[in-house]
Amino acid sequence: MKVIIVGGVAGGASCAARLRRLDEDAEILMVERGPYVSYANCGLPYHVGDVIEQESSLLVADADTFRSQFAIDVRTGCEAIGIAADAKTVDLRDVATGEVTTESYDKLVLSPGARSIRPPLPGIDLPGIFEVRTVPDARVIREWLERGSLFLSGMHRYSGFQTVRPKTRAVVVGGGFIGLETAENLIHRGFDVTLVEMSDQILTPLDKEMARIAEGYLERHGMRLALNDGVAGFEQADNGQLNVSTQSGKVYPADIVILALGVRPDTTLAKAAGLEVGERGGIRVDEQMRTSDPDIFAVGDAIEVRDFVTGEWSLVALAGPANRQGRIAADVIAGRDARFRGTQGTAIIGFFGGVAAWTGVSESTLKRLGDTDYEKTYLYPNSHAGYYPGARPIAMKVLFRKSDGRVLGAQALGEDLVDKRISALAMAIQMGATIYDLEEAELCYAPPFGSAKDPVNFAGMVAADVLRGDMPLCHWDAADQGFLLDVRDPVELTVEYAPGAVNIPIGQLRARLDELPRDRDILVICRSGQRAYYATRMLLQKGFKARTLAGGMLSRTHAENFWVS
């Protein structure tokens, strides 16, 4: 059996290595149009920022490794330019010489990845405008940072003894993973950075109110955000400086511009071969990674996959799913009954010591689908036992079915141990767990690592209280429909308050029940929701109609108040 794999990064490399482990006799040819295979493109922004100092550190395995350890024929600088599905052949072009050869196959795996979005804007090809997609991309950016313009090339002349050092400026276009990570690394390298994003928020998988936390955190660490404003074009000034014009008419000067506008599936080969391409623009595959041609498989950023929660076709350009898909394609080619379960889009990003992570479906997606069978809750537990030094709050949003408690999605932001909470919730979602399962989950605990009630347990307990009727819930968008009761201490109101709310500290509430109306809904608030829950339980048992405002004042104003030192 002869298997040709087109694309040698992530999914393609994973497929090749797995297939060799399963079939020692298969003839495996892996072609990659770039100069490297199996490199860590997720690490490129950190190489730009010199966190990863050596380029070689990004190269997980080279062509010689695949040849010597796996007996795989690897050809770098080799581009697949055509597929004859009926004849089962692939045309390959040597990038350096232009020579075209034809190879036959029994099975073909497409892992061409995705191409960076590069709109035809005026001046987009000017010197100093870069993408961060490949190792060579990172190399030329690093070279430009050192000596790409007359200004930058003279920066070495400014010593630490001088009191004024000219500021270098960068504009990053795009508020996703690559944009934010590169922007942070440029700030670490001493640049003033402006991030321009056409949407009204960064990190669109997050719901807007959670993204606001991240935006405030970035701004407090020196990043300027220009949201809801797209780039209109680029111009070069007489001094070599770039000017970035936006659709609103603003102009941002820059010594370097990074384009991080996202990616589109590379379906050129698939379309030429007559393979089915889905509505989202990716190659359509089944759960065994087969395309519409049973002898052609596809994996990675180029394909559409089913969303595990919604069942919708989706595009998920993440390394984890790509590697698993490559492994599954190899299993199926080798005769095993492997299947891809779909993706939840589980992801994480760090910036300036903070972290944002998410898994499953967002509320904005549920609303877009017209799905009303869900509830949400906000909570702000400590990352580990509060009495142990270093505990930091985690802002969490958890979505779950009202009908059966099934966990649908979760988002979390914080500065400590965020990743393991979202990882646990991701596994819960994949196993079809409910909030009642989260209540009973047995998780690691010692004071430096968690609490006796882990944030995952706590999320389940809060959500279960809601569904059991122990904590009727209200959200701020409906706060004007009831009597607002603030049970915080008066001193807290000097920091933040809800206009129109009546303040009765929880310690005085039992003695002042006669001040509350019995003919209106009482919406109870505190800072994060815990004291409001205690008050709600008290009021319900005293015959009042009471609900807790989810997340308290933090969920109302956490964009301004969370993580403030």
Side-chain angles (χ1 to χ4, degrees):
M1 177 174 63
K2 181 177 180 180
V3 180
I4 296 179
I5 299 171
V6 177
V9 183
S14 178
C15 180
R18 173 67 172 173
L19 184 57
R20 173 57 74 223
R21 293 194 296 270
L22 297 179
D23 189 341
E24 184 61 26
D25 297 323
E27 181 183 353
I28 305 172
L29 167 60
M30 181 168 69
V31 300
E32 166 58 43
R33 64 184 161 218
Y36 304 107
V37 295
S38 195
Y39 63 85
N41 48 9
C42 297
L44 294 175
Y46 303 99
H47 184 44
V48 168
D50 218 26
V51 176
I52 300 172
E53 296 181 1
Q54 300 299 320
E55 182 180 286
S56 59
S57 299
L58 298 170
L59 307 179
V60 180
D62 59 19
D64 288 338
T65 301
F66 280 92
R67 294 185 188 110
S68 62
Q69 293 190 14
F70 298 106
I72 292 171
D73 181 2
V74 178
R75 302 179 194 176
T76 56
C78 181
E79 183 179 16
I81 59 173
I83 299 171
D86 292 340
K88 300 180 76 169
T89 60
V90 179
D91 292 332
L92 305 175
R93 182 177 68 87
D94 186 300
V95 174
T97 66
E99 180 186 359
V100 176
T101 58
T102 300
E103 294 279 351
S104 63
Y105 66 84
D106 295 301
K107 302 292 182 184
L108 176 64
V109 180
L110 300 180
S111 182
R115 294 186 181 273
S116 296
I117 295 173
R118 193 178 178 92
L121 296 172
I124 198 168
D125 294 320
L126 286 170
I129 300 176
F130 303 98
E131 300 169 352
V132 188
R133 187 69 181 158
T134 67
V135 172
D137 289 341
R139 185 186 304 146
V140 296
I141 291 171
R142 285 169 61 92
E143 291 172 353
W144 182 269
L145 294 178
E146 296 298 330
R147 54 182 182 276
S149 68
L150 290 175
F151 179 64
L152 290 174
S153 63
M155 288 304 294
H156 68 280
R157 300 191 182 96
Y158 289 89
S159 73
F161 295 102
Q162 291 170 289
T163 57
V164 178
R165 181 180 187 273
K167 289 298 294 184
T168 47
R169 291 167 292 191
V171 172
V172 176
V173 185
F177 288 104
I178 296 297
L180 289 175
E181 290 168 348
T182 306
E184 179 196 7
N185 277 281
L186 288 172
I187 287 176
H188 290 323
R189 291 196 63 152
F191 281 75
D192 279 348
V193 176
T194 299
L195 186 141
V196 180
E197 167 56 51
M198 183 178 291
S199 173
D200 60 356
Q201 70 171 84
I202 62 169
L203 298 174
T204 52
L206 289 174
D207 285 319
K208 192 176 297 185
E209 76 277 16
M210 303 301 284
R212 292 289 177 259
I213 301 174
E215 291 161 7
Y217 192 75
L218 291 169
E219 289 176 331
R220 285 193 292 277
H221 284 81
M223 191 181 300
R224 283 187 290 273
L225 301 181
L227 303 179
N228 208 22
D229 196 7
V231 171
F234 309 90
E235 293 181 347
Q236 191 170 42
D238 293 338
N239 64 355
Q241 175 184 279
L242 292 164
N243 289 321
V244 183
S245 302
T246 68
Q247 294 172 1
S248 68
K250 295 180 180 178
V251 177
Y252 298 99
D255 300 293
I256 184 172
V257 174
I258 301 295
L259 299 179
L261 294 165
V263 296
R264 289 195 182 98
D266 186 348
T267 58
T268 304
L269 273 178
K271 289 178 178 177
L275 303 180
E276 181 182 1
V277 174
E279 295 178 0
R280 303 296 302 274
I283 304 170
R284 185 64 60 84
V285 296
D286 64 15
E287 58 187 355
Q288 293 192 310
M289 316 317 298
R290 281 193 181 91
T291 67
S292 53
D293 184 316
D295 292 320
I296 302 178
F297 297 73
V299 301
D301 296 357
I303 70 170
E304 291 185 4
V305 293
R306 290 285 189 186
D307 184 289
F308 183 81
V309 178
T310 68
E312 276 197 310
W313 289 105
S314 61
L315 299 173
V316 178
L318 294 171
N323 277 278
R324 296 199 306 277
Q325 292 157 9
R327 181 183 176 93
I328 288 168
D331 282 6
V332 174
I333 290 170
R336 299 193 176 188
D337 188 26
R339 297 176 186 276
F340 185 63
R341 297 180 183 178
T343 182
Q344 301 152 226
T346 305
I348 188 168
I349 182 173
F351 32 73
F352 304 106
V355 171
W358 56 87
T359 186
V361 71
S362 65
E363 184 178 12
S364 59
T365 296
L366 291 170
K367 287 182 176 180
R368 176 177 58 80
L369 296 174
D371 189 338
T372 59
D373 181 20
Y374 75 91
E375 184 55 276
K376 62 184 176 183
T377 189
Y378 301 93
L379 57 153
Y380 304 87
N382 279 330
S383 57
H384 60 251
Y387 58 82
Y388 188 88
R392 303 294 293 153
I394 301 175
M396 297 179 67
K397 178 179 183 177
V398 179
L399 296 132
F400 52 94
R401 287 271 179 236
K402 290 189 289 188
S403 56
D404 60 10
R406 180 186 169 200
V407 184
L408 299 176
Q411 302 166 27
L413 298 98
E415 294 174 311
D416 184 43
L417 302 178
V418 171
D419 54 338
K420 73 173 187 174
R421 274 57 194 240
I422 289 298
S423 291
L425 289 164
M427 193 66 207
I429 290 172
Q430 190 170 117
M431 300 306 293
T434 67
I435 55 170
Y436 310 112
D437 296 314
L438 300 186
E439 279 187 298
E440 297 298 327
E442 188 167 335
L443 304 168
C444 293
Y445 165 60
F449 308 107
S451 302
K453 292 179 182 176
D454 188 88
V456 173
N457 297 130
F458 192 33
M461 292 171 182
V462 171
D465 281 340
V466 173
L467 291 193
R468 291 185 181 121
D470 294 336
M471 188 174 68
L473 211 57
C474 180
H475 298 287
W476 278 103
D477 57 3
D480 59 349
Q481 299 174 13
F483 178 91
L484 275 180
L485 173 64
D486 191 332
V487 297
R488 294 176 296 158
D489 292 331
V491 67
E492 297 177 74
L493 274 63
T494 63
V495 178
E496 56 185 354
Y497 68 95
V502 173
N503 177 228
I504 303 178
I506 190 167
Q508 303 175 20
L509 187 57
R510 288 183 178 85
R512 298 174 61 180
L513 292 177
D514 58 348
E515 300 177 31
L516 300 177
R518 291 187 175 273
D519 60 345
R520 297 181 64 188
D521 278 344
I522 299 174
L523 309 181
V524 191
I525 58 175
C526 65
R527 178 157 172 77
S528 65
Q530 189 169 26
R531 286 170 289 175
Y533 166 58
Y534 299 156
T536 299
R537 292 302 305 148
M538 182 194 309
L539 294 173
L540 288 173
Q541 293 176 75
K542 293 295 184 178
F544 291 89
K545 294 184 289 184
R547 289 185 284 166
T548 299
L549 263 166
M553 293 300 293
L554 281 175
S555 67
R556 179 176 183 265
T557 58
H558 54 22
E560 293 79 25
N561 293 289
F562 200 70
W563 285 350
V564 174
S565 57

